[in-house]
Amino acid sequence: MFRRLIAFVVLGWVLGFAWFAMTLPQPAADEPSDAVVVLTGGTGRIERGLEVLSRGWSRRLLVSGVDRDVKPHEFARGYRVRASRMACCITLGYQAVDTRSNAVETAQWLAREKVKVVRLVTNDWHMRRARMELSRTAPAGVTIIADAVPSQPSLGTLLREYNKLLARAVLGAVSGN
């Protein structure tokens, strides 16, 4: 009986991983949102957030998890953002150091800015866990649009992310968060 249980758990993990790896989230359509949030850490994320802003799909941008040494003028210069755009529309968040703290920083910003519809930008392999964390912390009534940046993650990246997603899902279910 014990071996059957272990075999069932392993089979469930393998099938779940296959689903996770083969059905990575995709970029969102050009639907409007009140704001866009970019979680730092992967190639193409900030560029996608700036594209969403420049196309008018969102009016404000939060870049969560910016290194404390990066100054706004350095960010603007590095990404070719006009000073007027930085002043009106872009917030750099320096509090987050991981996905959970990205969600907390973002939720606080969403509440302050009174955002009702937010576009979440991160890499495809990271989107499910990022969205789960943000869903847990965002103010009530906020709609999250997942806007995944396509990538070509390694098997190791997929395995680590899948296990993190499972661990956070189980921990959240047990703790009620």
Side-chain angles (χ1 to χ4, degrees), residues 73-101:
H73 71 275
E74 295 169 333
F75 178 91
R77 185 179 47 212
Y79 290 100
R80 297 185 180 147
V81 177
R82 294 183 325 269
S84 60
R85 174 63 61 110
M86 283 295 296
C88 79
C89 310
I90 299 175
T91 302
L92 301 182
Y94 296 99
Q95 302 305 312
V97 295
D98 60 15
T99 304
R100 287 187 69 201
S101 57

PDB file of all heavy atoms in Angstrom, residues 73-101:
ATOM      1  N   HIS A  73      17.594  58.189 -12.743  1.00  0.00           N
ATOM      2  CA  HIS A  73      18.206  58.718 -13.970  1.00  0.00           C
ATOM      3  C   HIS A  73      19.039  57.646 -14.687  1.00  0.00           C
ATOM      4  O   HIS A  73      19.133  57.645 -15.906  1.00  0.00           O
ATOM      5  CB  HIS A  73      19.034  59.979 -13.678  1.00  0.00           C
ATOM      6  CG  HIS A  73      20.304  59.733 -12.929  1.00  0.00           C
ATOM      7  ND1 HIS A  73      20.349  59.642 -11.569  1.00  0.00           N
ATOM      8  CD2 HIS A  73      21.568  59.544 -13.384  1.00  0.00           C
ATOM      9  CE1 HIS A  73      21.595  59.410 -11.182  1.00  0.00           C
ATOM     10  NE2 HIS A  73      22.358  59.338 -12.269  1.00  0.00           N
ATOM     11  N   GLU A  74      19.618  56.715 -13.933  1.00  0.00           N
ATOM     12  CA  GLU A  74      20.370  55.617 -14.559  1.00  0.00           C
ATOM     13  C   GLU A  74      19.425  54.661 -15.269  1.00  0.00           C
ATOM     14  O   GLU A  74      19.714  54.188 -16.375  1.00  0.00           O
ATOM     15  CB  GLU A  74      21.190  54.861 -13.508  1.00  0.00           C
ATOM     16  CG  GLU A  74      22.267  55.689 -12.871  1.00  0.00           C
ATOM     17  CD  GLU A  74      22.894  55.015 -11.662  1.00  0.00           C
ATOM     18  OE1 GLU A  74      22.231  54.198 -10.991  1.00  0.00           O
ATOM     19  OE2 GLU A  74      24.056  55.339 -11.379  1.00  0.00           O
ATOM     20  N   PHE A  75      18.309  54.385 -14.622  1.00  0.00           N
ATOM     21  CA  PHE A  75      17.290  53.536 -15.250  1.00  0.00           C
ATOM     22  C   PHE A  75      16.812  54.189 -16.545  1.00  0.00           C
ATOM     23  O   PHE A  75      16.738  53.545 -17.586  1.00  0.00           O
ATOM     24  CB  PHE A  75      16.114  53.318 -14.294  1.00  0.00           C
ATOM     25  CG  PHE A  75      15.001  52.491 -14.862  1.00  0.00           C
ATOM     26  CD1 PHE A  75      14.991  51.121 -14.702  1.00  0.00           C
ATOM     27  CD2 PHE A  75      13.951  53.086 -15.558  1.00  0.00           C
ATOM     28  CE1 PHE A  75      13.956  50.342 -15.227  1.00  0.00           C
ATOM     29  CE2 PHE A  75      12.928  52.332 -16.091  1.00  0.00           C
ATOM     30  CZ  PHE A  75      12.933  50.952 -15.920  1.00  0.00           C
ATOM     31  N   ALA A  76      16.497  55.471 -16.463  1.00  0.00           N
ATOM     32  CA  ALA A  76      15.997  56.204 -17.636  1.00  0.00           C
ATOM     33  C   ALA A  76      17.010  56.182 -18.771  1.00  0.00           C
ATOM     34  O   ALA A  76      16.653  55.944 -19.930  1.00  0.00           O
ATOM     35  CB  ALA A  76      15.662  57.639 -17.257  1.00  0.00           C
ATOM     36  N   ARG A  77      18.241  56.412 -18.450  1.00  0.00           N
ATOM     37  CA  ARG A  77      19.284  56.401 -19.474  1.00  0.00           C
ATOM     38  C   ARG A  77      19.462  54.992 -20.056  1.00  0.00           C
ATOM     39  O   ARG A  77      19.544  54.821 -21.264  1.00  0.00           O
ATOM     40  CB  ARG A  77      20.602  56.911 -18.904  1.00  0.00           C
ATOM     41  CG  ARG A  77      21.705  57.051 -19.953  1.00  0.00           C
ATOM     42  CD  ARG A  77      22.981  57.570 -19.357  1.00  0.00           C
ATOM     43  NE  ARG A  77      23.267  56.821 -18.142  1.00  0.00           N
ATOM     44  CZ  ARG A  77      23.885  57.303 -17.077  1.00  0.00           C
ATOM     45  NH1 ARG A  77      24.310  58.538 -17.076  1.00  0.00           N
ATOM     46  NH2 ARG A  77      24.098  56.568 -16.019  1.00  0.00           N
ATOM     47  N   GLY A  78      19.488  53.978 -19.197  1.00  0.00           N
ATOM     48  CA  GLY A  78      19.700  52.604 -19.640  1.00  0.00           C
ATOM     49  C   GLY A  78      18.602  52.079 -20.544  1.00  0.00           C
ATOM     50  O   GLY A  78      18.852  51.259 -21.436  1.00  0.00           O
ATOM     51  N   TYR A  79      17.380  52.540 -20.310  1.00  0.00           N
ATOM     52  CA  TYR A  79      16.238  52.068 -21.102  1.00  0.00           C
ATOM     53  C   TYR A  79      15.683  53.142 -22.038  1.00  0.00           C
ATOM     54  O   TYR A  79      14.602  52.950 -22.613  1.00  0.00           O
ATOM     55  CB  TYR A  79      15.137  51.528 -20.179  1.00  0.00           C
ATOM     56  CG  TYR A  79      15.563  50.232 -19.532  1.00  0.00           C
ATOM     57  CD1 TYR A  79      16.046  50.208 -18.233  1.00  0.00           C
ATOM     58  CD2 TYR A  79      15.516  49.040 -20.246  1.00  0.00           C
ATOM     59  CE1 TYR A  79      16.459  49.025 -17.651  1.00  0.00           C
ATOM     60  CE2 TYR A  79      15.928  47.854 -19.667  1.00  0.00           C
ATOM     61  CZ  TYR A  79      16.401  47.850 -18.368  1.00  0.00           C
ATOM     62  OH  TYR A  79      16.826  46.680 -17.794  1.00  0.00           O
ATOM     63  N   ARG A  80      16.403  54.244 -22.162  1.00  0.00           N
ATOM     64  CA  ARG A  80      16.025  55.334 -23.072  1.00  0.00           C
ATOM     65  C   ARG A  80      14.607  55.851 -22.791  1.00  0.00           C
ATOM     66  O   ARG A  80      13.767  55.927 -23.690  1.00  0.00           O
ATOM     67  CB  ARG A  80      16.163  54.902 -24.520  1.00  0.00           C
ATOM     68  CG  ARG A  80      17.580  54.572 -24.886  1.00  0.00           C
ATOM     69  CD  ARG A  80      17.716  54.256 -26.335  1.00  0.00           C
ATOM     70  NE  ARG A  80      19.112  53.940 -26.605  1.00  0.00           N
ATOM     71  CZ  ARG A  80      19.496  53.081 -27.511  1.00  0.00           C
ATOM     72  NH1 ARG A  80      18.615  52.468 -28.270  1.00  0.00           N
ATOM     73  NH2 ARG A  80      20.764  52.842 -27.698  1.00  0.00           N
ATOM     74  N   VAL A  81      14.386  56.181 -21.538  1.00  0.00           N
ATOM     75  CA  VAL A  81      13.088  56.708 -21.103  1.00  0.00           C
ATOM     76  C   VAL A  81      13.239  58.209 -20.878  1.00  0.00           C
ATOM     77  O   VAL A  81      14.161  58.648 -20.178  1.00  0.00           O
ATOM     78  CB  VAL A  81      12.619  56.015 -19.805  1.00  0.00           C
ATOM     79  CG1 VAL A  81      11.315  56.601 -19.318  1.00  0.00           C
ATOM     80  CG2 VAL A  81      12.499  54.511 -20.004  1.00  0.00           C
ATOM     81  N   ARG A  82      12.332  58.984 -21.453  1.00  0.00           N
ATOM     82  CA  ARG A  82      12.343  60.437 -21.264  1.00  0.00           C
ATOM     83  C   ARG A  82      12.099  60.782 -19.787  1.00  0.00           C
ATOM     84  O   ARG A  82      11.354  60.095 -19.093  1.00  0.00           O
ATOM     85  CB  ARG A  82      11.262  61.095 -22.122  1.00  0.00           C
ATOM     86  CG  ARG A  82      11.479  60.991 -23.607  1.00  0.00           C
ATOM     87  CD  ARG A  82      10.402  61.739 -24.404  1.00  0.00           C
ATOM     88  NE  ARG A  82       9.067  61.720 -23.826  1.00  0.00           N
ATOM     89  CZ  ARG A  82       8.134  60.799 -24.100  1.00  0.00           C
ATOM     90  NH1 ARG A  82       8.381  59.830 -24.944  1.00  0.00           N
ATOM     91  NH2 ARG A  82       6.953  60.870 -23.534  1.00  0.00           N
ATOM     92  N   ALA A  83      12.699  61.874 -19.362  1.00  0.00           N
ATOM     93  CA  ALA A  83      12.539  62.318 -17.973  1.00  0.00           C
ATOM     94  C   ALA A  83      11.071  62.572 -17.645  1.00  0.00           C
ATOM     95  O   ALA A  83      10.603  62.255 -16.548  1.00  0.00           O
ATOM     96  CB  ALA A  83      13.373  63.573 -17.724  1.00  0.00           C
ATOM     97  N   SER A  84      10.332  63.126 -18.598  1.00  0.00           N
ATOM     98  CA  SER A  84       8.913  63.396 -18.357  1.00  0.00           C
ATOM     99  C   SER A  84       8.132  62.103 -18.158  1.00  0.00           C
ATOM    100  O   SER A  84       7.222  62.042 -17.336  1.00  0.00           O
ATOM    101  CB  SER A  84       8.320  64.214 -19.511  1.00  0.00           C
ATOM    102  OG  SER A  84       8.439  63.503 -20.736  1.00  0.00           O
ATOM    103  N   ARG A  85       8.492  61.063 -18.894  1.00  0.00           N
ATOM    104  CA  ARG A  85       7.830  59.748 -18.737  1.00  0.00           C
ATOM    105  C   ARG A  85       8.179  59.144 -17.386  1.00  0.00           C
ATOM    106  O   ARG A  85       7.327  58.571 -16.712  1.00  0.00           O
ATOM    107  CB  ARG A  85       8.244  58.827 -19.885  1.00  0.00           C
ATOM    108  CG  ARG A  85       7.769  57.380 -19.805  1.00  0.00           C
ATOM    109  CD  ARG A  85       6.259  57.204 -19.849  1.00  0.00           C
ATOM    110  NE  ARG A  85       5.651  57.684 -21.036  1.00  0.00           N
ATOM    111  CZ  ARG A  85       5.111  56.934 -21.984  1.00  0.00           C
ATOM    112  NH1 ARG A  85       5.122  55.625 -21.878  1.00  0.00           N
ATOM    113  NH2 ARG A  85       4.541  57.480 -23.029  1.00  0.00           N
ATOM    114  N   MET A  86       9.428  59.280 -16.965  1.00  0.00           N
ATOM    115  CA  MET A  86       9.837  58.771 -15.647  1.00  0.00           C
ATOM    116  C   MET A  86       9.043  59.477 -14.555  1.00  0.00           C
ATOM    117  O   MET A  86       8.544  58.830 -13.634  1.00  0.00           O
ATOM    118  CB  MET A  86      11.338  58.993 -15.408  1.00  0.00           C
ATOM    119  CG  MET A  86      12.257  58.035 -16.110  1.00  0.00           C
ATOM    120  SD  MET A  86      12.135  56.304 -15.587  1.00  0.00           S
ATOM    121  CE  MET A  86      12.661  56.345 -13.889  1.00  0.00           C
ATOM    122  N   ALA A  87       8.923  60.796 -14.663  1.00  0.00           N
ATOM    123  CA  ALA A  87       8.271  61.595 -13.621  1.00  0.00           C
ATOM    124  C   ALA A  87       6.784  61.289 -13.498  1.00  0.00           C
ATOM    125  O   ALA A  87       6.246  61.221 -12.395  1.00  0.00           O
ATOM    126  CB  ALA A  87       8.483  63.086 -13.899  1.00  0.00           C
ATOM    127  N   CYS A  88       6.126  61.107 -14.615  1.00  0.00           N
ATOM    128  CA  CYS A  88       4.671  60.941 -14.562  1.00  0.00           C
ATOM    129  C   CYS A  88       4.221  59.506 -14.373  1.00  0.00           C
ATOM    130  O   CYS A  88       3.183  59.246 -13.797  1.00  0.00           O
ATOM    131  CB  CYS A  88       4.017  61.482 -15.835  1.00  0.00           C
ATOM    132  SG  CYS A  88       4.117  60.362 -17.260  1.00  0.00           S
ATOM    133  N   CYS A  89       4.993  58.575 -14.896  1.00  0.00           N
ATOM    134  CA  CYS A  89       4.386  57.267 -15.121  1.00  0.00           C
ATOM    135  C   CYS A  89       5.146  56.056 -14.596  1.00  0.00           C
ATOM    136  O   CYS A  89       4.603  54.954 -14.620  1.00  0.00           O
ATOM    137  CB  CYS A  89       4.182  57.081 -16.623  1.00  0.00           C
ATOM    138  SG  CYS A  89       3.360  58.463 -17.425  1.00  0.00           S
ATOM    139  N   ILE A  90       6.386  56.220 -14.176  1.00  0.00           N
ATOM    140  CA  ILE A  90       7.203  55.060 -13.801  1.00  0.00           C
ATOM    141  C   ILE A  90       7.654  55.174 -12.353  1.00  0.00           C
ATOM    142  O   ILE A  90       8.220  56.182 -11.943  1.00  0.00           O
ATOM    143  CB  ILE A  90       8.423  54.916 -14.735  1.00  0.00           C
ATOM    144  CG1 ILE A  90       7.943  54.707 -16.180  1.00  0.00           C
ATOM    145  CG2 ILE A  90       9.313  53.756 -14.283  1.00  0.00           C
ATOM    146  CD1 ILE A  90       9.048  54.665 -17.206  1.00  0.00           C
ATOM    147  N   THR A  91       7.386  54.106 -11.607  1.00  0.00           N
ATOM    148  CA  THR A  91       7.822  54.007 -10.223  1.00  0.00           C
ATOM    149  C   THR A  91       8.817  52.867 -10.126  1.00  0.00           C
ATOM    150  O   THR A  91       8.552  51.762 -10.612  1.00  0.00           O
ATOM    151  CB  THR A  91       6.631  53.724  -9.287  1.00  0.00           C
ATOM    152  OG1 THR A  91       5.657  54.758  -9.436  1.00  0.00           O
ATOM    153  CG2 THR A  91       7.070  53.614  -7.842  1.00  0.00           C
ATOM    154  N   LEU A  92       9.942  53.123  -9.491  1.00  0.00           N
ATOM    155  CA  LEU A  92      10.919  52.066  -9.241  1.00  0.00           C
ATOM    156  C   LEU A  92      10.745  51.589  -7.805  1.00  0.00           C
ATOM    157  O   LEU A  92      10.799  52.398  -6.875  1.00  0.00           O
ATOM    158  CB  LEU A  92      12.347  52.583  -9.463  1.00  0.00           C
ATOM    159  CG  LEU A  92      12.656  53.129 -10.845  1.00  0.00           C
ATOM    160  CD1 LEU A  92      14.121  53.573 -10.934  1.00  0.00           C
ATOM    161  CD2 LEU A  92      12.329  52.120 -11.932  1.00  0.00           C
ATOM    162  N   GLY A  93      10.514  50.303  -7.655  1.00  0.00           N
ATOM    163  CA  GLY A  93      10.332  49.714  -6.331  1.00  0.00           C
ATOM    164  C   GLY A  93      11.608  49.042  -5.868  1.00  0.00           C
ATOM    165  O   GLY A  93      12.141  48.179  -6.559  1.00  0.00           O
ATOM    166  N   TYR A  94      12.079  49.423  -4.701  1.00  0.00           N
ATOM    167  CA  TYR A  94      13.358  48.936  -4.196  1.00  0.00           C
ATOM    168  C   TYR A  94      13.217  47.950  -3.034  1.00  0.00           C
ATOM    169  O   TYR A  94      14.213  47.524  -2.478  1.00  0.00           O
ATOM    170  CB  TYR A  94      14.198  50.130  -3.723  1.00  0.00           C
ATOM    171  CG  TYR A  94      14.577  51.083  -4.819  1.00  0.00           C
ATOM    172  CD1 TYR A  94      13.864  52.257  -5.036  1.00  0.00           C
ATOM    173  CD2 TYR A  94      15.659  50.806  -5.642  1.00  0.00           C
ATOM    174  CE1 TYR A  94      14.224  53.141  -6.029  1.00  0.00           C
ATOM    175  CE2 TYR A  94      16.021  51.692  -6.653  1.00  0.00           C
ATOM    176  CZ  TYR A  94      15.301  52.849  -6.842  1.00  0.00           C
ATOM    177  OH  TYR A  94      15.660  53.712  -7.838  1.00  0.00           O
ATOM    178  N   GLN A  95      11.999  47.598  -2.643  1.00  0.00           N
ATOM    179  CA  GLN A  95      11.797  46.783  -1.445  1.00  0.00           C
ATOM    180  C   GLN A  95      11.920  45.288  -1.683  1.00  0.00           C
ATOM    181  O   GLN A  95      12.305  44.542  -0.790  1.00  0.00           O
ATOM    182  CB  GLN A  95      10.421  47.085  -0.839  1.00  0.00           C
ATOM    183  CG  GLN A  95      10.209  48.539  -0.478  1.00  0.00           C
ATOM    184  CD  GLN A  95      11.285  49.067   0.455  1.00  0.00           C
ATOM    185  OE1 GLN A  95      11.617  48.444   1.440  1.00  0.00           O
ATOM    186  NE2 GLN A  95      11.847  50.212   0.117  1.00  0.00           N
ATOM    187  N   ALA A  96      11.595  44.827  -2.867  1.00  0.00           N
ATOM    188  CA  ALA A  96      11.492  43.383  -3.124  1.00  0.00           C
ATOM    189  C   ALA A  96      12.844  42.737  -3.407  1.00  0.00           C
ATOM    190  O   ALA A  96      13.693  43.318  -4.066  1.00  0.00           O
ATOM    191  CB  ALA A  96      10.546  43.131  -4.292  1.00  0.00           C
ATOM    192  N   VAL A  97      12.988  41.523  -2.886  1.00  0.00           N
ATOM    193  CA  VAL A  97      14.203  40.731  -3.135  1.00  0.00           C
ATOM    194  C   VAL A  97      13.883  39.339  -3.668  1.00  0.00           C
ATOM    195  O   VAL A  97      14.778  38.595  -4.043  1.00  0.00           O
ATOM    196  CB  VAL A  97      15.070  40.615  -1.863  1.00  0.00           C
ATOM    197  CG1 VAL A  97      15.606  41.977  -1.446  1.00  0.00           C
ATOM    198  CG2 VAL A  97      14.285  39.967  -0.728  1.00  0.00           C
ATOM    199  N   ASP A  98      12.599  38.980  -3.677  1.00  0.00           N
ATOM    200  CA  ASP A  98      12.171  37.681  -4.189  1.00  0.00           C
ATOM    201  C   ASP A  98      10.711  37.796  -4.637  1.00  0.00           C
ATOM    202  O   ASP A  98      10.107  38.864  -4.551  1.00  0.00           O
ATOM    203  CB  ASP A  98      12.354  36.575  -3.139  1.00  0.00           C
ATOM    204  CG  ASP A  98      11.564  36.830  -1.860  1.00  0.00           C
ATOM    205  OD1 ASP A  98      10.654  37.687  -1.840  1.00  0.00           O
ATOM    206  OD2 ASP A  98      11.843  36.153  -0.857  1.00  0.00           O
ATOM    207  N   THR A  99      10.158  36.694  -5.104  1.00  0.00           N
ATOM    208  CA  THR A  99       8.801  36.729  -5.661  1.00  0.00           C
ATOM    209  C   THR A  99       7.763  37.117  -4.611  1.00  0.00           C
ATOM    210  O   THR A  99       6.850  37.891  -4.901  1.00  0.00           O
ATOM    211  CB  THR A  99       8.463  35.373  -6.303  1.00  0.00           C
ATOM    212  OG1 THR A  99       9.467  35.070  -7.279  1.00  0.00           O
ATOM    213  CG2 THR A  99       7.105  35.410  -6.980  1.00  0.00           C
ATOM    214  N   ARG A 100       7.898  36.597  -3.408  1.00  0.00           N
ATOM    215  CA  ARG A 100       6.929  36.943  -2.356  1.00  0.00           C
ATOM    216  C   ARG A 100       6.982  38.418  -2.023  1.00  0.00           C
ATOM    217  O   ARG A 100       5.952  39.081  -1.886  1.00  0.00           O
ATOM    218  CB  ARG A 100       7.176  36.113  -1.098  1.00  0.00           C
ATOM    219  CG  ARG A 100       6.740  34.669  -1.278  1.00  0.00           C
ATOM    220  CD  ARG A 100       6.813  33.899  -0.003  1.00  0.00           C
ATOM    221  NE  ARG A 100       5.782  34.383   0.900  1.00  0.00           N
ATOM    222  CZ  ARG A 100       5.815  34.216   2.202  1.00  0.00           C
ATOM    223  NH1 ARG A 100       6.811  33.590   2.768  1.00  0.00           N
ATOM    224  NH2 ARG A 100       4.846  34.662   2.966  1.00  0.00           N
ATOM    225  N   SER A 101       8.182  38.966  -1.887  1.00  0.00           N
ATOM    226  CA  SER A 101       8.274  40.390  -1.564  1.00  0.00           C
ATOM    227  C   SER A 101       7.907  41.259  -2.770  1.00  0.00           C
ATOM    228  O   SER A 101       7.436  42.385  -2.590  1.00  0.00           O
ATOM    229  CB  SER A 101       9.649  40.748  -0.991  1.00  0.00           C
ATOM    230  OG  SER A 101      10.693  40.399  -1.858  1.00  0.00           O
TER     231      SER A 101
END
